Structure formats: structure tokens, C-alpha cells
């Protein structure tokens, strides 16, 4: 055994061109070498060889046998672009019987569930899809994680024979009250993660190949009554990509965990169907949230969204011990636009400034229209200095657009007055922070407009003016 382990180590550490495979697979090799486990070393080597064969970096070598017996493809492979031959005897060669591990991925299944013993289950799914009164998540939050956690809670009521999970991206927000939605962990990843590509499904025949978050959550939920034996991981598509046309439009990975009473093909098809159900309900919830929380004139979030989202972001900042900046912005002399140009041009001005704010801020920032010409900007993970930089950029930005008004072209131009506060420096309560930001806004308006004041505990409120342009 020691000789074989040494041969597998040598194959992975020196013989195979690991620079030609992806970083995740290289990390899997390092983990296998650290463990020294023979089975894991062989599995990893097979995955690496399979990838190199697929890429054309390894080519099978036909070796002539004795006269009359013809060539045979055995344990030797040639490295592309070199005269170097690699002996794959430690994994049994790459002849006709070469196989990849059970978890090697494949495109997500498209066919309907075919097994007789799952017909009732899929019929139940069809009834759920037609239902109009299902609980599908918290209507007060548009967060991806919160919506998905709500859908999984719904499914859990109808699928007690399974455990369902979703892994999102490492930067996605997570709900606080569920183990079912998680991000990639900091520890070693299962080997199949390195080999899987977007749009592919994975058969997971042993509990040890699940992510740690899935294993921990499954063990937390009555392991005696539900012994985890196997499962699958399939793509979870973003709404609009349910047909799988865009392999890069995955939102995450959907896990179905089961006992060993279910077969591989049945689980793959069931998980694929459940994943698409989740995407459809997600799309529906997002459409509902858009109608509830979007300002119909400008397309940015409305006051109802701000009232909920600011509290949520403040709670996240408190838990993660990160700063959070709130900016209240009010258009200067907006009444003049309505009085002199009419309300139609006033609406065009509001649409223009909302669009420009979206262009200047990050995707994770929230822009909310909270009054007639008043906006609130929520900037997660933004401290005092970064907040100053944002306001300076906004003060120096051109809020300007040329439009046709009647038979002539006119220029719509606007400036903002701002008030800025940062958690935790300015307080920890949502109402307190809003009140202080509003006070800073009115200080900016009283002292000449087109400027920003920043709250300071000593009363020495900072002031930012537009930079002079040359």
C-alpha cells in the first residue's frame, strides 16, 4: 500500500501538468496530498487525468505488442507539445476500462421524472406550481437569500423525505434565521467542486462529499430519523435563465439530500425539477417585490423599501461589525423647475437624477426616493472616509440632460444638498441615524445648497463643497 500511495503522490506532485487545470482542481490536489489517503489520492488523480484528456493535454500512446497482436492502448500517455511520457499505472491506465469517479459531473437533466415510484411526488409538484396562495417568502424583503430561504421552507413542508439546501455566491447576503441557504465555507471543498462547471449536475454518493454546511445542517435536523446517505447537486438558475441557455447565469447550487432509498437518476431528475420550481417562485416573488418596492416614476426603490431595507442593512452592519453610511439628498430649487417648465419636465428631471445616481453608485448600494424630490442612499460597508469620497464624487458629477420641450431643446440641470451619517459613529438606531442625516441635510440647505454636511459627535460638522473645475 505504501508503494502505491508513493506512486500516486509522485503522479500528482510531479508527473501531471497541474498548471493546465483550474485553480480549484489544483487546490483539490494539494488537499489530497496533505491527507495521504489512498482512495482520495486515486480519485483526485483520476479527475485530473480526465480533465487533461478532455483538454487534449494528455494523449494516449499505442504500444506495439508482439508480432500479429497489433497495438494496444495501456498505461502510457504523452504530454502535448513534449516528448515526455507519463505512466498512469498507479490508476490502472487509461484504456477502454478507464472510468471517472461517480461524482463526475454532467449537464443538468432535461427530461421529466420517469421512475414509477416518484410519480406521486411529481404530481404534487405540479399542484404546487398551480397554487396561488402559497407562502413564498417575506414580502418585505427583496434579498435573494431571504426569498430562497422562504421557498425552501415551503418545499420542506411537502418533501419530508428529503433535505434541501442552496449554496449562493461568496458575496451574497444570507438570511439570519436559516441553515438551508449558505455560502462556500473557508475549509476544504469537496473534490467535485473543482471539477464541476456551470450548468452541470453532480451525483454525491457519500455524505463526506457534501459541503460542510450541508452535513452540519443535516446532522442538526434529527440525524437518527434522517440518516444522510447520498444526494445530488444541480444548477440553480437566475430567473430568466431557467431553460439553461446561459450556463454562466447560475445563481448557485441546489442540493437534494436523501437516504439510500432513491436511485441516482431519480434523484437527479427530481432535484432538477425542484430547482426549476425554486427559480419560478423566485421570479414571482421578485416581480411582487418590484411592484411593492419600486418607485413607478424613477425606477429606484421607494419609501416602503427604504423603511425596511435600512433596518436590515443596519442589523447586518451590527452583526458583521462593518460601517454603514446613510446619505439623505434633496434636489435644490426643484419647485422652480415645476413652476417654470411644468410638471412634465419636473418628472424628466427626477428620472434623470435617479439614473445618474445609479451610474455613480455601486450595485450593492440602495437608492431610494423617499419624498417628492428627496432621495436616501444606503451604502453598506462604507466608513466615514469612503462616504466622504462618495459625496465628493456626487457633488462633482454633472446632473444634466438636454431634452426637447415643445419645439425647442432645453437643458435640465440639477444639484443636490446632502446630509451624511455613518454607523456606528453617529448612533446605532435607524431612527436616530435618519434624524441626524436629515438635520445635516437642512444645514446644507441653510448654508447655501449644493454641498454636504457630515454629522460629528462634537458638533464640529464636516462640510464638503464641489471642487472647482478648470
Amino acid at each position: 500500500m505504501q508503494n502505491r500511495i508513493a506512486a500516486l503522490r509522485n503522479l500528482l506532485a510531479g508527473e501531471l501538468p497541474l498548471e493546465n487545470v483550474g485553480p480549484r482542481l489544483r487546490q483539490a490536489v494539494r488537499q489530497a496530498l496533505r491527507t495521504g489517503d489512498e482512495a482520495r489520492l486515486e480519485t483526485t488523480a483520476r479527475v485530473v487525468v480526465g480533465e487533461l484528456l478532455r483538454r487534449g493535454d494528455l494523449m494516449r500512446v499505442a504500444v506495439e505488442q508482439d508480432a500479429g497482436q497489433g497495438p494496444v492502448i495501456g498505461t502510457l500517455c504523452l504530454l502535448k507539445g513534449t516528448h515526455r511520457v507519463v505512466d498512469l499505472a498507479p490508476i490502472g491506465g487509461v484504456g477502454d476500462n478507464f472510468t471517472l469517479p461517480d461524482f463526475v459531473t454532467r449537464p443538468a437533466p432535461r427530461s421529466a421524472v420517469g421512475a414509477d415510484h416518484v410519480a406521486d411526488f411529481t404530481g404534487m409538484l405540479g399542484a404546487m406550481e398551480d397554487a396561488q396562495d402559497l407562502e413564498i417568502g417575506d414580502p418585505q424583503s427583496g434579498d435573494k437569500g431571504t426569498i430562497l430561504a422562504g421557498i425552501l421552507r415551503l418545499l420542506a413542508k411537502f418533501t419530508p423525505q428529503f433535505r434541501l439546501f442552496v449554496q449562493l455566491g461568496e458575496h451574497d447576503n444570507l438570511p439570519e434565521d436559516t441553515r438551508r441557504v449558505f455560502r462556500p465555507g473557508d475549509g476544504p471543498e469537496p473534490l467535485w467542486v473543482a471539477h464541476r462547471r456551470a450548468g452541470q449536475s453532480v451525483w454525491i454518493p457519500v455524505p463526506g462529499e457534501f459541503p460542510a454546511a450541508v452535513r452540519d445542517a443535516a446532522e442538526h435536523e434529527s440525524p437518527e430519523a434522517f440518516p444522510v446517505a447520498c444526494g445530488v447537486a444541480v444548477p440553480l438558475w437566475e430567473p430568466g435563465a431557467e431553460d439553461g441557455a446561459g450556463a454562466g447565469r447560475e445563481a448557485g447550487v441546489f442540493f437534494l439530500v436523501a437516504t439510500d432509498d432513491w436511485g441516482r437518476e431519480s434523484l437527479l431528475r427530481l432535484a432538477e425539477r425542484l430547482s426549476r420550481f425554486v427559480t419560478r417562485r423566485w421570479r414571482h416573488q421578485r416581480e411582487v417585490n418590484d411592484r411593492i418596492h419600486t418607485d413607478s416614476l424613477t425606477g429606484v426603490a421607494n419609501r416602503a423599501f427604504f423603511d425596511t431595507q435600512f433596518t436590515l442593512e443596519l442589523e447586518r452592519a451590527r452583526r458583521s461589525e462593518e460601517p454603514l453610511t446613510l446619505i439623505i439628498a434633496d434636489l435644490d430649487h426643484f419647485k422652480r423647475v415645476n413652476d417654470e417648465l411644468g410638471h412634465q419636465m419636473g418628472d424628466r428631471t427626477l428620472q434623470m437624477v435617479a439614473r445618474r445616481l445609479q451610474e455613480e453608485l455601486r450595485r450593492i448600494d440602495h437608492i431610494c426616493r423617499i419624498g417628492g424630490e428627496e432621495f436616501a442612499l444606503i451604502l453598506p460597508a462604507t466608513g466615514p472616509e469612503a462616504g466622504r469620497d462618495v459625496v465628493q464624487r456626487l457633488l462633482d458629477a454633472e446632473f444634466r440632460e438636454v431634452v426637447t420641450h415643445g419645439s425647442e431643446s432645453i437643458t435640465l440641470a440639477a444639484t443636490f444638498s446632502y446630509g451624511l451619517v455613518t454607523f456606528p459613529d453617529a448612533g446605532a438606531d435607524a431612527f436616530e441615524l435618519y434624524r441626524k442625516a436629515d438635520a445635516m441635510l437642512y444645514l446644507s440647505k441653510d448654508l447655501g445648497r449644493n454641498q454636504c454636511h457630515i454629522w460629528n459627535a462634537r458638533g464640529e460638522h464636516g462640510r464638503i463643497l464641489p471642487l472647482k473645475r478648470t
Side-chain angles (χ1 to χ4, degrees), residues 68 86 89 135 173 299 307 383 445:
V86 178
E135 177 189 356
N173 289 327
D307 288 342
K445 297 182 84 68

Side-chain angles (χ1 to χ4, degrees), residues 186-198:
D186 297 329
E189 292 180 321
L191 181 58
W192 60 263
V193 173
H195 196 65
R196 178 185 177 273
R197 292 177 182 81

Side-chain angles (χ1 to χ4, degrees), residues 94-116:
V94 290
D96 293 337
N97 295 324
F98 177 71
T99 58
L100 290 172
D102 281 339
F103 60 73
V104 166
T105 55
R106 69 175 196 182
R110 293 286 180 265
S111 58
V113 178
D116 293 338

Side-chain angles (χ1 to χ4, degrees), residues 30-108:
R30 290 193 293 270
Q31 292 170 357
L33 290 171
R34 282 197 297 268
T35 64
D37 178 75
E38 181 182 1
R40 191 169 185 87
L41 287 167
E42 180 180 356
T43 298
T44 307
R46 284 182 172 274
V47 171
V48 172
V49 168
E51 175 68 3
L52 292 172
L53 287 170
R54 185 193 69 81
R55 294 171 58 93
D57 294 317
L58 277 181
M59 293 173 285
R60 293 177 173 90
V61 177
V63 179
E64 288 291 340
Q65 301 187 95
D66 294 337
Q69 293 185 347
V72 63
I73 296 177
T75 65
L76 303 180
C77 278
L78 181 68
L79 290 180
K80 180 181 177 181
T82 74
H83 298 291
R84 182 177 159 200
V85 175
V86 178
D87 188 355
L88 299 178
I91 61 171
V94 290
D96 293 337
N97 295 324
F98 177 71
T99 58
L100 290 172
D102 281 339
F103 60 73
V104 166
T105 55
R106 69 175 196 182

Side-chain angles (χ1 to χ4, degrees), residues 41 50 61 153 172 192 248 271 276 293 338 356 455 460:
L41 287 167
V61 177
R153 283 195 297 270
D172 287 315
W192 60 263
R276 292 178 186 278
H293 295 138
N338 284 328
R356 289 291 291 117
W455 186 89
E460 302 166 357

Side-chain angles (χ1 to χ4, degrees), residues 144-160:
K144 178 193 301 186
T146 301
I147 291 175
L148 293 175
I151 299 173
L152 292 185
R153 283 195 297 270
L154 163 67
L155 284 174
K157 300 175 183 177
F158 295 89
T159 57

Side-chain angles (χ1 to χ4, degrees), residues 329-362:
D330 192 83
L331 278 173
D332 297 326
H333 305 297
F334 182 68
K335 187 174 184 299
R336 292 181 188 174
V337 178
N338 284 328
D339 292 344
E340 297 175 7
L341 300 178
H343 287 278
Q344 182 182 4
M345 288 298 101
D347 290 347
R348 291 286 296 271
T349 300
L350 289 168
Q351 292 167 343
M352 179 267 292
V353 299
R355 186 171 60 253
R356 289 291 291 117
L357 287 171
Q358 289 174 309
E359 293 168 354
E360 292 292 337
L361 298 181
R362 305 168 299 178

